[in-house]
Amino acid sequence: MSDRRVEFDFAIEFTNGGGIQGQGFRLDLDGDEIDDAALIDYVVRDLRLLMVGPARILRKRIIIEPHKRNRAVDPQPRAIVELSHVIADGTVTYPGLPAPRICDFLSRERSREHYAPGTEFQIAAIEMVANTGTYVDCPFHRYPDGRDLAQMPAEAFADLEAVVVRADHRRVRAIDAGYFRDRELRGRAVLVHTGWDEHWTRPSYALDHPHLTADAADYLRECGVRLVGIDSMNIDDTRGRERPVHTGLLGAEIPIVEHLCNLAALPEDGFRFTALPPRFAGVGTFPVRAIATLGGRG
């Protein structure tokens, strides 16, 4: 660890109104440099700020000074909540896309020809499109020069501080920025609980589903969220041909997780979220095992 510190000026707005500014502020660095987004996350954690909304670094410079403090060790997690749908042979996720075909490549019966008596194995064969079940979108899904699943770092999907925002589908379909104000968002995964997962595998799942609006995506991006998820058929309104939420979030390298479930089982905050995909090159979406970890860091 070097003895580098960053001196900077900043302006931060709060989601519940008001804001603060700092001049000549100094923080320890774990490396030689830090970008503006990481610096905002750093100062928010260091000052233990709540309800942080749009934030800007106005000036910064690197100086040499000894570090002042040690980092705390996080406690161990205590419980896991499943947040992804089961994918079975023939499960329809998105109307118009083929359902997965899951079968034996090598059956247990056939495997007995290759092993000693009493020893057998099964090897499955899966044929499916990448948008199947609960899946994550990364920038390559929307942009040809965006990072694909193999290029995205694991920390973009794993062990993220998280919050749940409730937007009951019986009361709202178009979820705008107002639903995200007065909440602690910066540096967190934001999971939107609509309850639409009750329609999973039914024809009604694809009809008039809840979705985010363009201004909600803009606000979440400005607030510096790490990931956005929803328990609906799509995070965008699919009745038209534009996809402003995918465009805005993926353009800022904020992953999207769609088709979540069981969000009603989560508290509104104080948990961590993981939705890790395999490291496929040239692929922008893929199914994930989405989980929430309760009782650990919050």
Side-chain angles (χ1 to χ4, degrees):
M1 180 181 292
S2 71
D3 288 336
R4 290 178 179 266
R5 308 188 80 200
V6 58
E7 180 184 88
F8 60 98
D9 302 340
F10 66 89
I12 292 177
E13 300 175 30
F14 296 113
T15 61
N16 58 348
I20 63 170
Q21 292 185 349
Q23 295 180 339
F25 208 79
R26 294 186 180 188
L27 286 176
D28 295 340
L29 286 180
D30 291 329
D32 293 338
E33 299 289 342
I34 187 168
D35 63 30
D36 287 1
L39 184 54
I40 289 293
D41 292 340
Y42 200 37
V43 72
V44 167
R45 290 195 305 269
D46 203 72
L47 294 181
R48 299 182 182 180
L49 297 179
L50 302 176
M51 307 301 180
V52 174
R56 292 178 298 143
I57 298 298
L58 307 177
R59 179 192 64 85
K60 69 180 178 182
R61 68 186 182 98
I62 305 300
I63 59 177
I64 307 297
E65 282 187 351
H67 286 264
K68 304 296 185 183
R69 67 191 74 168
N70 295 322
R71 302 296 185 260
V73 177
D74 296 311
Q76 294 297 313
R78 293 198 299 267
I80 299 293
V81 178
E82 291 274 8
L83 303 177
S84 49
H85 291 287
V86 173
I87 301 172
D89 182 56
T91 298
V92 174
T93 300
Y94 199 104
L97 295 181
R101 181 173 180 267
I102 304 173
C103 60
D104 289 340
F105 174 78
L106 178 68
S107 68
R108 298 184 187 280
E109 292 74 17
R110 290 285 305 277
S111 77
R112 293 169 191 163
E113 303 171 6
H114 305 283
Y115 302 102
T119 302
E120 61 184 30
F121 297 93
Q122 185 262 7
I123 299 176
I126 303 173
E127 181 179 340
M128 68 176 190
V129 296
N131 291 40
T132 297
T134 302
Y135 58 79
V136 66
D137 297 339
C138 69
F140 186 72
H141 179 49
R142 173 65 178 81
Y143 297 99
D145 57 349
R147 290 201 282 181
D148 63 22
L149 294 175
Q151 295 167 326
M152 290 290 288
E155 54 264 31
F157 312 110
D159 197 32
L160 304 173
E161 286 189 68
V163 298
V164 170
V165 173
R166 314 285 183 193
D168 193 327
H169 72 83
R170 293 167 294 186
R171 298 184 177 91
V172 62
R173 286 293 196 269
I175 303 163
D176 62 25
Y179 280 84
F180 303 96
R181 300 189 187 277
D182 201 29
R183 295 299 305 272
E184 185 64 57
L185 304 175
R186 182 163 298 277
R188 288 166 168 78
V190 178
L191 310 182
V192 183
H193 171 218
T194 72
W196 196 251
D197 55 319
E198 68 183 13
H199 294 277
W200 175 250
T201 71
R202 303 176 193 167
S204 57
Y205 187 68
L207 302 176
D208 195 23
H209 60 83
H211 59 274
L212 269 58
T213 62
D215 77 302
D218 290 343
Y219 187 73
L220 291 169
R221 185 183 68 248
E222 291 172 0
C223 287
V225 304
R226 296 280 301 280
L227 175 149
V228 182
I230 192 168
D231 60 353
S232 182
M233 202 275 289
N234 200 294
I235 203 167
D236 265 302
D237 185 352
T238 56
R239 292 173 297 181
R241 302 181 69 177
E242 295 182 351
R243 297 293 185 268
V245 181
H246 281 83
T247 297
L249 295 180
L250 296 180
E253 295 204 330
I254 299 171
I256 297 168
V257 180
E258 294 170 313
H259 312 284
L260 287 164
C261 65
N262 206 27
L263 296 182
L266 299 180
E268 292 194 354
D269 55 28
F271 66 96
R272 302 186 80 83
F273 177 76
T274 295
L276 270 171
R279 297 185 70 188
F280 279 112
V283 176
T285 68
F286 206 78
V288 293
R289 185 79 175 258
I291 62 169
T293 305
L294 307 182
R297 295 171 293 177

